[in-house]
Amino acid sequence: MPQPDLAPNRRSRNGCANCRQSRVKCDGEKPCCTRCWKKGWQCTQENLTLKWKSDYHSRGLAFGREGVWGKGTQSKKNPSVVSAGEQMWHPTSTVYPWSFVNQDISTLKWLYDEERSPGHPSSMEISGISPKRDRLGRAAQTPLWYTPPVFPYPQAQKHAIMVEYFIDQVCPRTTSSLKIASPFTSVVLPFCLNGSVNGLVALQALAACYWSQSNPAQKSTAVRLKSQVLAGLRSRIAADPSYTISPDPEVLVLMMMLSLYDIVDQCDKGWVVHLQGAKDIIRLRRKKLPSQSHCPVTAFAELFFAFQDVMGRTACAKADLFGPAFWDQNDRAVNPWMGCSPELVSILFSILDLSRARPQMHSNLAQEVDFSMKASALNRRLGSLVQVVAVPEDCALQAVADLKRLACTIYLHCALYNGEPSTPIVRSLVRQILEQLSVLLKENRIVNATWPIFVAAVELGPADGENWPDPITGELVCGRALILRALATMSQSTVSSVARVRSVIETVWQSRDSDLAGGSSRRQFSQSNDWEWYVVPLSDALSLV
């Protein structure tokens, strides 16, 4: 039986707007179709209209070809209109007025999901970054003053996530205090976010470098950002040599960030180059701009370099660069970033200077008496030192300050009285440090304790059989195992080169074991004391902050 003729297709997919609206076929002539030419209409193609599926469903209409029978298909029922009582509303994150100012989708990931249900990760955790946590592992709240940064310059916006990483992951590792904000948060960060383009890029470079320790994929980003900072600093100095001693403290901030970058990266001599350059700049600035010493950014930068100098000299025994003027011998208030008081650093500075004078005595009785009197005076000052914490409840900061006082006492006996691991006072002090270290590890509060761990480790005798409870397993372990556990924990909670510190410690242990196995020490034919023989040759350019 012949099939009936089908009605001709009167519509065209490429018809003009007028023909499609009238539902008639358009011949598609250009620039004007025949129908529009005859009627004198303006012939235009139909504009693209976006149709939203949710709008159709809310009106009870089919969207597209939904509900249409076709060959090999099954019918689809039109969704019924959802009543107001059946609608389910989901909570959303709070949107603030500044949320869409100079921002893109990447920066919106910075907002914490404050209303998410327990157990669900935040947007930062999904991105591979865990939120800042306290020493007990609990998620810390975002500070009320903090908002996602808005950068008017594209070079900083490109790596904006690094600023978030700096705030959440780097800053908490620069202080032992649980109560007082790190100066990197309260001083350096506001300075970089308020006009210092190079400072902000340097901050991002440091964050990327620290992130690359656990995620090697960030290494290339860190190197590119560091190169950008160095190129900008060089061009700025070449164009304006007075920039280095201008009232703007940006150059000191850049050198501070570059020093930390090199310390975190490999802790080689690169950071010492920045330290020496900063010394010259600070000396010139103090001579030309004495009134600028009260600037918070400048004051912290000077404190940073001076403290790095003192702590590094304890290991390598080199001459000082910054002098004693930075340390008030009557200030017993514990600095949250240093983890000790300026008075303790002043005593340590005097020990360093006196130890450098010891080899020049040459059996001169008058010099030996003078040396002995000065050493006794320092020992008495250290024994009567009381370091004051601003917030008495800040137990973590107080514990680190006590550890550094014990470590300073060990160093005094080794540097001035030729103490060694078998000396009773040194052995007793090392045990006190290990005892406190075991408690801090168990409570997960070990931050900013690199120097006391280093001092106790290099003066731990190979024959010391004292055992300590492992904070993880609870089993009794020797002192060396406890120190290695502490270093492994420190690698996740400090901005320093723990790998370089551990390498020096292990080399010292191997040298002591070798001498003990040989039955005699090669040091008996040398005028060097125990610290100068085992520690100093290995510790050039070692950062212990």
Side-chain angles (χ1 to χ4, degrees), residues 59 83 171 180 194 212 257 340 365 382 448 476 479 500-501:
R59 291 181 291 167
S83 63
C171 289
I180 304 175
N194 288 280
S212 68
M257 291 297 177
C340 62
L365 182 59
L382 195 55
N448 200 9
L476 294 179
R500 172 81 195 283
V501 172

Side-chain angles (χ1 to χ4, degrees), residues 311-331:
M311 304 311 291
R313 287 176 59 213
T314 61
C316 66
K318 290 187 176 181
D320 68 279
L321 296 176
F322 287 84
F326 291 88
W327 313 114
D328 184 357
Q329 61 181 359
N330 297 317
D331 188 356

Side-chain angles (χ1 to χ4, degrees), residues 91-109:
T92 58
S93 300
T94 305
V95 179
Y96 299 95
W98 38 256
S99 295
F100 298 96
V101 181
N102 292 335
Q103 310 246 347
D104 56 21
I105 189 62
S106 64
T107 56
L108 294 181
K109 295 180 180 179

